[in-house]
């Protein structure tokens, strides 16, 4: 919100074009972000940390992958990576689409992204209670289907109203998916192998994000900048992965 308000006053005029304020607004928000991150790093370094316990050796972690629970873990990691790939085909281009094609102001753009955060916070307890009642696996499948449908409103959205609906769906779905993902990863690992499993998940997600973004860029070049084509491709990819879940 602070970034959007600062740009609204320091960079007046339409968003997505030449900075009307000569870039002063962008310098202000980047410096503010840097200062906040430095404060965060200092607070993190000052926070107490539990006593470190040795991790299991690499061979033990590899043997774990051949167990029933280990098989569940690597299948889950693979599915999540595939979902992230489908998501990141389109994810970097929602912002440019709002600024360039829909001609949003910085304030409208900010509201669209704040909507995701607010609904994630509001719906986390709802998803949490659902997991307590029905288990992470079944609730996770529902969350993935909801996440798969996020690009659908973007195919025809032309104003802030439809974008807010799409962003609201995104925030609600990501709240459920991230919570279920965490619960499932805990269920699929032991204490001594958990660090290895979460490291593998992070590597899989990182590679998927990189490859998905590059695929989206290639599709954008082939379609002469038709961003809605990317949203449709992401929709098909997400629905395919949802069937896997």
């Amino acid at each position: 919100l602070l970034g959007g308000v600062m740009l609204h006053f320091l960079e007046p005029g339409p968003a997505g074009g030449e900075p009307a304020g000569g870039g002063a607004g962008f310098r202000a928000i980047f410096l503010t972000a840097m200062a906040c991150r430095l404060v965060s790093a200092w607070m993190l370094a000052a926070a107490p940390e539990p006593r470190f316990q040795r991790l299991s050796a690499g061979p033990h972690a590899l043997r774990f992958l051949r167990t029933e629970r280990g098989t569940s873990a690597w299948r889950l990691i693979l599915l999540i990576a595939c979902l992230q790939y489908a998501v990141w085909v389109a994810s970097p281009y929602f912002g440019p689409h709002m600024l360039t094609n829909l001609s949003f102001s910085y304030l409208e753009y900010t509201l669209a992204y704040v909507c995701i955060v607010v609904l994630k916070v509001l719906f986390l307890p709802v998803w949490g209670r659902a997991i307590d009642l029905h288990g992470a696996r079944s609730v996770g499948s529902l969350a993935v289907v909801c996440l798969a449908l996020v690009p659908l409103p973007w195919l025809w959205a032309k104003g802030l109203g439809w974008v807010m609906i799409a962003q609201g769906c995104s925030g609600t779905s990501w709240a459920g998916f991230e919570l279920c993902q965490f619960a499932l990863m805990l269920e699929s690992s032991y204490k001594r192998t958990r660090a290895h499993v979460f490291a593998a998940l992070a590597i899989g997600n990182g590679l998927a994000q990189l490859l998905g973004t590059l695929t989206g860029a290639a599709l954008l070049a082939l379609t002469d900048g038709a961003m809605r084509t990317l949203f449709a491709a992401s929709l098909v990819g997400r629905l395919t992965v949802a069937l896997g879940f």
Side-chain angles (χ1 to χ4, degrees), residues 85-142:
Y85 173 80
V87 166
W88 281 84
V89 166
S91 188
Y93 305 101
F94 290 126
H97 179 64
M98 283 188 276
L99 292 173
T100 307
N101 297 338
L102 302 183
S103 301
F104 275 18
S105 68
Y106 289 123
L107 212 52
E108 289 174 317
Y109 179 80
T110 302
L111 289 172
Y113 273 102
V114 167
C115 180
I116 293 180
V117 180
V118 170
L119 284 175
K120 278 183 76 171
V121 172
L122 290 176
F123 275 88
L124 273 171
V126 178
W127 286 107
R129 285 192 291 271
I131 291 172
D132 290 340
L133 289 172
H134 305 289
R137 194 170 295 274
S138 57
V139 177
S141 298
L142 173 63

Side-chain angles (χ1 to χ4, degrees), residues 157-171:
K158 292 183 178 178
L160 184 60
W162 274 110
V163 168
M164 292 292 278
I165 291 171
Q167 296 291 76
C169 179
S170 179

